[in-house]
Structure formats: C-alpha cells, structure tokens
Amino acid sequence: MNSKLSHYDPAGKVSMVDVGSKAETERTATARAYVVLNKAVLEALPANKKGDPLEVARIAGIMAAKKTSELIPLCHPLPLTRIDINLTLDDNGVEIVATASTVARTGVEMEAMTAASVAALTVYDMTKALDKSIEIREIHLVEKTGGKSGHFRREEGK
Amino acid sequence: MNSKLSHYDPAGKVSMVDVGSKAETERTATARAYVVLNKAVLEALPANKKGDPLEVARIAGIMAAKKTSELIPLCHPLPLTRIDINLTLDDNGVEIVATASTVARTGVEMEAMTAASVAALTVYDMTKALDKSIEIREIHLVEKTGGKSGHFRREEGK
Amino acid sequence: MNSKLSHYDPAGKVSMVDVGSKAETERTATARAYVVLNKAVLEALPANKKGDPLEVARIAGIMAAKKTSELIPLCHPLPLTRIDINLTLDDNGVEIVATASTVARTGVEMEAMTAASVAALTVYDMTKALDKSIEIREIHLVEKTGGKSGHFRREEGK
Amino acid sequence: MNSKLSHYDPAGKVSMVDVGSKAETERTATARAYVVLNKAVLEALPANKKGDPLEVARIAGIMAAKKTSELIPLCHPLPLTRIDINLTLDDNGVEIVATASTVARTGVEMEAMTAASVAALTVYDMTKALDKSIEIREIHLVEKTGGKSGHFRREEGK
Amino acid sequence: MNSKLSHYDPAGKVSMVDVGSKAETERTATARAYVVLNKAVLEALPANKKGDPLEVARIAGIMAAKKTSELIPLCHPLPLTRIDINLTLDDNGVEIVATASTVARTGVEMEAMTAASVAALTVYDMTKALDKSIEIREIHLVEKTGGKSGHFRREEGK
Amino acid sequence: MNSKLSHYDPAGKVSMVDVGSKAETERTATARAYVVLNKAVLEALPANKKGDPLEVARIAGIMAAKKTSELIPLCHPLPLTRIDINLTLDDNGVEIVATASTVARTGVEMEAMTAASVAALTVYDMTKALDKSIEIREIHLVEKTGGKSGHFRREEGK
C-alpha cells in the first residue's frame, strides 16, 4: 500500500503526475453502483414500452466514461478500448456494474467509477417524478487489473 | 405525486419535454453525498499542507454542476446562478453538501446531485492510493424549492 | 428575403451578431433527415431485442442539440426548452424528424438541423457493419416559428 | 460482410466493444457531403471579401472531427493524426470531401462522416438567410483503408 | 473598489456566488491582447492566399468565448448575445480586440478576456513554425458596461 | 527554421496536417505567463485562509491543458502524460510556469501555452474585484524537448 495521497508531487503540490515512463499495458477496472427505488418506480419501469430508462442510463454511462478526464481534475486522458455497463433490476432497485478497459500508461479506475455514477444519476433522473427519496448507494471499485499494482478484487461483504 | 416516469411524452417516447410555457422562477436544490474513508486517509488529509484534496473536490463539483445537461441525457440546459459546496470531515469520512440555484423554467435537482457526485468521485480519486476500499454512499436530494411542485425536504433518518 | 449572408457585420467580417436588442419570444424549428438503408439492415433492426439502435440515435440527437453552439461556430448559445425526435422505419430506411424549442432572442433552426444530423450519423454508425453504402439524404428545415421573420413551412415535394 | 449490427455484445446489449486486442495500424477514411444552394447564395459567396463562409465551414468540420466520440455514443476516442477538408463550389452548390487518419485499434469512418456533416451544417448556417430551402444531400463514405476489413471504395454512380 | 477577492463566500470559501437576485441587464466587455511577431511571420501572413491565419484565430476566439464558464472555474454560464473580434496587423505584430455582450445577471468580462486570449494563442499556433520567440503580451480589459459597478474604461497608457 | 506558416498543406489550405508517419517519442514543453497585480491584491492573497486563488488557478490550468485541441482549431489531440503548474508570488504579481509532457507523434507546445494562459485568466478572475487594471503579460514558450526539431530553450532576457 502506498503511503501518500494521489496526484501530489514530492513538494506536496497537486499535479497530473508523470506517467510517461510507465509501460503501455492492457488495464481494466470494474465499478458498481446501486440505486434504491421504491415500489412505484419498480412497477413503472417494465411498463414503459418504448425508451427503457435503463437503456438511457446505459448510454449516459458509456458517454460519461469518455468524459472522465474532463470531470476529474487530475485524471490523465486515456484512449478507452471498451466500456460495458450492466443494469439489473432486483426487488429493491437497480444494480449497475460498469467495466472500462484501455491499453495505456495508467489505469481506468476512475473511468469505471464515473460510468457507474453517471448511469446511476440517469436512473435517478428518469424516475425522480415517481419518488423523491431515491438514493444512490455504495459506489465502489469491484476489480482492477493491469499496471504495476497488479490485480485487485474487493472482498465480498465489505 | 406524479404517476409516471420523467422525460416521456404521452406516447411513451423519451424526449426533453417542453418547459417553454412554465414560468421563470427562482429554484434551488441541495444534495448530499458521503465518502467513507479509512484511518490512513483521514490522517493523511490534514497533513498535506498545499493543495488540500477537499478544495480540489470542491472545484471539480462546481465545474461538474455546469456540465449537468451534457452528462444527463434529458436534462434541460440551465443558467446556474449559484453553486456552493461544503465538505466536512468527520470520524468516518467526508460529507459533501452541494446547493445549486437558478432562475429558470425547470429545477436544478440534477445539478445539485451531479455536483455532489463528482465532488465525491474527486475525493475518491485523490485518496485512492491510500485505500482501495473507499466507498461513496448515500447520494440523495436533501431539499428543493421553487417551481410548481413546491418545497420538498427529505425526512431525517430516511 | 434577406440580401446577404448570415453572421457578417457591415464590414464583411464574420461575427456572432448582436441579438441583445431582440425580444425574447418562443421559437421552434423542425428539421428532417433520411437515412437510406439496405434490406439486411432493415431486417436486422427489429430483430435486436435489447438496445434498439433507433433509441440510441434518439438520445444522441437530443444530446447533440444541446451542443449546437459548440459545433457551429457563429451560433448563439440558447436555453433549449424542448427537443423531440421521431424516427420512423419505412421500406427504404429511416426518416428522422427533430423539433427544438426555446424562449430566446434568436431561433433554433440550427439546433433542429444538428439534432437530425447527429441522429442520422448515429443510425449510420449502429448499422454500418451490415452495409457500407448507407447514405444520409435530404437534411433540411421543415418548419420554423417565432421571431421577426415569422412562420416558415417548406413546400411539399421540394 | 458482417451479419449483425455494430456495437452490440453477444447478448444483444449495446456496448463500446473491446478493441484492446486489435493491432494499432494506420487507418484513413474519406466521406463526402453535398449542400444544394440557390443562385442568390452562389452569387453571394465569392462576393464576400473577408471571412469566406467555406473557410468557416472547414474549421468547423476539423473541430467537429475531434468531437466525434462525444457525439456518437458508441464511438471509441481516437488520437487523430490528420483531418483534411476540401470544399468545392459548382453550379448547384458546394461539395465537401473530408479525410481523417489515425494510428489506432479501430477506424475513423465516423470521424470523416462527422467532419463532412458539420462542415455542411456550417455552410447551411452561413447562407440560410439567403435561402430557406437549402438542403444537405448525400452524406456517405467514399473510401476507407486499414484494419482487418481492408480497403473499401464506394462504386461510382451509386 | 471592492475590499475582497472575487468568488468567496463570507467564510472565505470558494463558491460560484449567488447572482439570482441581481437584475438581468445588458452588459458588454471589451478586452485586448497583443501578439508580437517577427519579420518572417509578418511577411508570410499576407502571402498566404487561402485560409488567412487571422480568420482562423477569429473563429477560435468566438468559439472559446462560448466555453468561458467551462474553462474558468467560478464563472457563471451566460447566454452570450454577441461576440466580435478584430485583429489588426501592425509593424510589430497583431492587435486583438474582443467584445462580448449578454443580457444577464452578471458580466461578460471573462468572456471577452478568454476570447482575446484564445485568439492570441491561435495566432501563435499558426505562426510558431516561423518564430519560436513569439510572445503574447498585455492581455487586459479595455472597457466594461452594465451592472451595478457601472461603466469602466481603462486609462490610456496604463 | 521552417519557411512557412504552420498547419497549411502545399496548396495553402488550412488542415490538421498528417503526423501519422512521425515517430511516437517523449516530448515536453514549458511555457510561462505573468500576471501583474496591484498592492491590494498582493496583500489580500495570503490573507485568505481557505481556497487559495492560486490553487484554483492551478486546477484550472491543468484542466485547460486537457482541452487544448478543443480550443486551438488545428491542434492534434494528444494523450498527455503529465501537467505541472507552478505559481510564484513576487513583489509585482504572480509568475506561472506550466510544463506538459506526452509520448506522441507531435509536440505539446500549445498544451503548455494553454495551461499557462488559462491559469493566468483564472488568477485574473479571482482577483479582478480588487483591481480592474490587472494585466496578463509575456506568455511565451520557455523550453521544448523531443521530436525532429530537437531541443529549444528561450534565451534569457529576450
């Protein structure tokens, strides 16, 4: 484990740190978000024949992943090679799992986190007329591969 | 309470619905997010003299609020008149409260939600080297004023 | 009819001309595009159960309308109050009709044209693996209301 | 010829498909658009001494090519190595030919199509005060090189 | 004269301050930049028949003005009603004068400053192959009208 | 030294020139800007406990570097590997030094220039309430490495 905050130079100053000497390798990251929905929303979702709100959220998440380095100040711009988003309805809401990949000098953790977050915000936006108490919960990294720090997988139940 | 999903026309088709005949009134919304941080991060944060990560997150949240209609597909573009973000450290992490205001034909709920979410993602990004199990939790609307639907305030403890 | 090019000042120099003294009125514009598709594509479209390409195109068109003033150099930024896009399959392809509205000092003709064009480009992108000879045809203004120049409606068959 | 729509995973779900294992090769694409203009516009164009509308359209097309992955939802972001746009006046309007190149894992067909379309929309915008019946016609791919699918050239007269 | 920094709330925290209660009035601002060029560049500029670099800079400045609130973190988004940029060659380089207008609750000083700066950067970019010692000099506000602070005009020779 | 303007093809037409056959090498560039501030501003800057304006300017400069190819029409999009900005207060104002790096087929001169310029504009924006005569001065390239043209360093005192 690293002993310091990210994106700081030795003098403690914020910077987009130099990754120029790192190797270009394949890197992937998967993030998860969960949107708690009430019964009214859960019943309305499958009833809407055209323009499934979950499809709108999927598109929004994919497009947001491509904007990550515009949104997160110290993120390096990366040529994403893949973005894949799954939305699954269950009894309490919708689970969002977003995976991003690249072949680059730094990882795509923030791209996966951003995709999951914006997909969740879009589910919220599409359903908010039916429920003002909707909550987005538990956005976290699930898995990460590639790069010097190697493979990471979140422990279940954490 | 409305009986249908947002952003759908009578035929069930997604659209950016017509707000042209609504009155231009002052509207505000406040959203909250919470980032759970471990001890290593909580100790590192005040130790960094220059470039406080919470300040970076505040700037990122303000700038993201202005990008809301680019990120959330069916959001109307709005001339924001105010964005204010508070980040407060406590024993378990950082609480983010974002308030947005406008004088417009539709509300700023998504602007406040987006500001809180991107500020949370930035806190995550600035601290992730110290803790891979960071989690963003409980992004929700706190309060909303203005417009036809009137004043809304989330019940405490919900 | 005007006797000169748009977006030029009296000296013949390109500028974003001053609309500050014009009245804020409700304005709408409708534009149309047509994408010619071959049989293979026309048969594949309804067979795809999830993620209808025409829905993806609709979202892309709506989001592009909001980017019009970023894409078209001399366009004024406008607070769009509505964007609505219809895509209709027929025997030769898909017809796209996009309507934009605003309450502003200048019109939304370019917003409707941009929405129709980017929806058409997205249909092309989603189907190009099945047909390299796809063609986008006949992007034009259908109707325009509001503003000093008044109501315009394109003659049929033109 | 491919047997399915683009940008779908095996389950029929929209995604930005993985190109991480494809080779980085030089790829180019050329697209064409045509803007039909009336006599009043064709006479006004060369008469404007400063700020040629066709130059404005060229700049707009080049800048739009760089925005392709922001506009077209499933497009991969690509490091463009070249964008070149030719606009040629003839007796009926202006022909636009746009060429894009990259060294990347996927092609630049949509970048060339987007550049040609936005250049055409800009010609329309600069001349619309003189002619409301302007039409953008026949946006299509002309040629494509590089990548697994190899060389493609549209047949003349098609 | 104000006694404190801009964009701070009473607690000394950065925010996009509330302008919701200010009146919507017509506001303009004019900014100036100067790019010092060497002889080689000054001779090359008029010799280039097509695609005058100063025209490219004018377009870039106009488009950048519309991006001001994306670039300057605490700037309010504004519906610009006019952007006008003049570039004048003299014996030592090119003078850039940019004017922006709006009808809004806050001023357009940063829009004029951004337009002049990006036009200057573009002149630099178009000519840098001929002179690596080009310098952008003296970007400042020339004049400002509208709003509570009233009319300001920079003293000559300052 | 080159004998012609940048970004022109042999026919004198503006284009984003082909860099596809150039080698991907490490490239860096450093640019400098200076913002002249009056005494009132120089005294107010250290007195503000939270949200140092120079930190806001640093973030703005870093984020602007990532937008360079959106702002400067003929710039190639580049995967930046580093952006570092130093702001130093002295008796007359603040000096800004911005360094950008990439591993790419073309250089990052405009990225460094844009970062320095937007950081300077942000210093201006944060302090303009205290001084309307602030001036941004002397934006220029300091150093450049990598690529065919090799190492360049501006002579002192120039």
Side-chain angles (χ1 to χ4, degrees), chain D:
Chain D
M1 185 173 282
N2 231 313
S3 63
K4 60 175 199 61
L5 294 171
S6 313
H7 308 303
Y8 284 88
D9 68 11
K13 179 173 59 69
V14 166
S15 75
M16 207 174 87
V17 293
D18 196 352
V19 299
S21 59
K22 289 170 120 185
E24 260 194 349
T25 59
E26 192 155 3
R27 294 154 192 269
T28 67
T30 299
R32 180 188 174 276
Y34 192 87
V35 189
V36 185
L37 301 168
N38 72 8
K39 249 190 172 173
V41 174
L42 289 169
E43 279 164 14
L45 281 177
N48 199 76
K49 277 165 283 182
K50 294 195 230 164
D52 182 354
L54 304 189
E55 283 307 305
V56 181
R58 189 198 312 281
I59 303 298
I62 290 170
M63 294 180 87
K66 295 190 266 187
K67 283 184 169 296
T68 302
S69 70
E70 281 183 56
L71 293 169
I72 311 298
L74 285 325
C75 263
H76 293 83
L78 289 177
L80 288 171
T81 51
R82 172 194 179 203
I83 314 168
D84 183 67
I85 304 186
N86 278 294
L87 297 106
T88 314
L89 273 176
D90 63 29
D91 288 351
N92 301 306
V94 55
E95 180 182 58
I96 298 163
V97 177
T99 299
S101 305
T102 192
V103 180
R105 292 180 167 78
T106 185
V108 285
E109 184 170 346
M110 291 315 299
E111 280 73 9
M113 290 288 290
T114 300
S117 300
V118 173
L121 285 168
T122 303
V123 169
Y124 178 100
D125 182 48
M126 304 297 290
T127 57
K128 67 183 192 292
L130 283 173
D131 180 7
K132 280 233 158 10
S133 61
I134 300 171
E135 193 164 59
I136 300 172
R137 274 199 202 149
E138 296 153 40
I139 309 178
H140 57 241
L141 184 67
V142 174
E143 189 164 11
K144 197 170 173 303
T145 68
K148 212 178 58 184
S149 62
H151 187 252
F152 163 83
R153 189 165 177 94
R154 187 182 179 90
E155 293 169 49
E156 296 277 328
K158 243 200 119 166

Side-chain angles (χ1 to χ4, degrees), chain C residues 8 51 109 124-125 135 139-140, chain D residues 8 51 109 124 135-136 140:
Chain C
Y8 284 88
E109 184 171 347
Y124 177 101
D125 182 48
E135 193 164 58
I139 309 178
H140 58 240
Chain D
Y8 284 88
E109 184 170 346
Y124 178 100
E135 193 164 59
I136 300 172
H140 57 241

Side-chain angles (χ1 to χ4, degrees), chain A residues 8 51 109 124-125 135 139-140, chain B residues 8 51 109 124 135-136 140:
Chain A
Y8 285 88
E109 184 170 347
Y124 178 100
D125 181 48
E135 194 164 57
I139 309 179
H140 58 240
Chain B
Y8 286 87
E109 184 170 346
Y124 178 101
E135 192 164 58
I136 301 171
H140 59 239

Side-chain angles (χ1 to χ4, degrees), chain F residues 15-76:
Chain F
S15 74
M16 208 174 87
V17 293
D18 196 352
V19 298
S21 59
K22 291 171 119 183
E24 261 194 349
T25 59
E26 193 154 3
R27 295 153 191 268
T28 68
T30 299
R32 179 188 175 276
Y34 192 85
V35 189
V36 185
L37 300 169
N38 72 7
K39 248 190 172 172
V41 174
L42 288 169
E43 278 162 16
L45 282 177
N48 198 76
K49 277 164 283 184
K50 294 195 230 166
D52 182 353
L54 304 190
E55 284 305 306
V56 181
R58 191 198 310 281
I59 304 298
I62 290 171
M63 294 180 86
K66 295 190 267 186
K67 283 184 171 294
T68 303
S69 71
E70 281 183 57
L71 292 169
I72 311 298
L74 285 324
C75 262
H76 293 83

Side-chain angles (χ1 to χ4, degrees), chain A:
Chain A
M1 184 174 283
N2 230 314
S3 64
K4 61 176 198 58
L5 294 170
S6 313
H7 308 303
Y8 285 88
D9 68 13
K13 180 173 58 69
V14 167
S15 74
M16 206 173 88
V17 294
D18 197 352
V19 298
S21 59
K22 291 171 118 184
E24 261 194 349
T25 59
E26 192 154 2
R27 295 153 192 269
T28 68
T30 299
R32 180 188 175 277
Y34 192 86
V35 189
V36 185
L37 300 169
N38 72 7
K39 248 191 173 172
V41 173
L42 289 168
E43 279 163 14
L45 282 178
N48 200 74
K49 279 164 283 183
K50 294 194 231 164
D52 182 353
L54 304 189
E55 284 305 306
V56 181
R58 189 199 310 283
I59 304 298
I62 290 171
M63 293 179 86
K66 296 189 265 186
K67 283 184 169 298
T68 302
S69 69
E70 282 182 58
L71 293 168
I72 312 299
L74 286 325
C75 262
H76 292 83
L78 288 177
L80 289 171
T81 51
R82 171 193 179 203
I83 313 167
D84 183 67
I85 304 186
N86 277 295
L87 298 106
T88 314
L89 274 175
D90 62 28
D91 288 353
N92 301 306
V94 55
E95 180 182 57
I96 298 163
V97 178
T99 299
S101 304
T102 192
V103 180
R105 292 180 166 79
T106 185
V108 285
E109 184 170 347
M110 292 314 299
E111 280 74 9
M113 291 288 290
T114 300
S117 301
V118 173
L121 286 168
T122 303
V123 169
Y124 178 100
D125 181 48
M126 305 297 292
T127 58
K128 68 182 191 291
L130 283 172
D131 181 6
K132 281 235 160 7
S133 61
I134 300 171
E135 194 164 57
I136 300 172
R137 273 198 202 151
E138 297 152 40
I139 309 179
H140 58 240
L141 184 67
V142 174
E143 190 164 11
K144 197 170 173 299
T145 68
K148 212 178 60 183
S149 60
H151 187 251
F152 163 85
R153 188 161 179 94
R154 189 182 178 90
E155 292 169 51
E156 296 275 329
K158 242 201 125 165

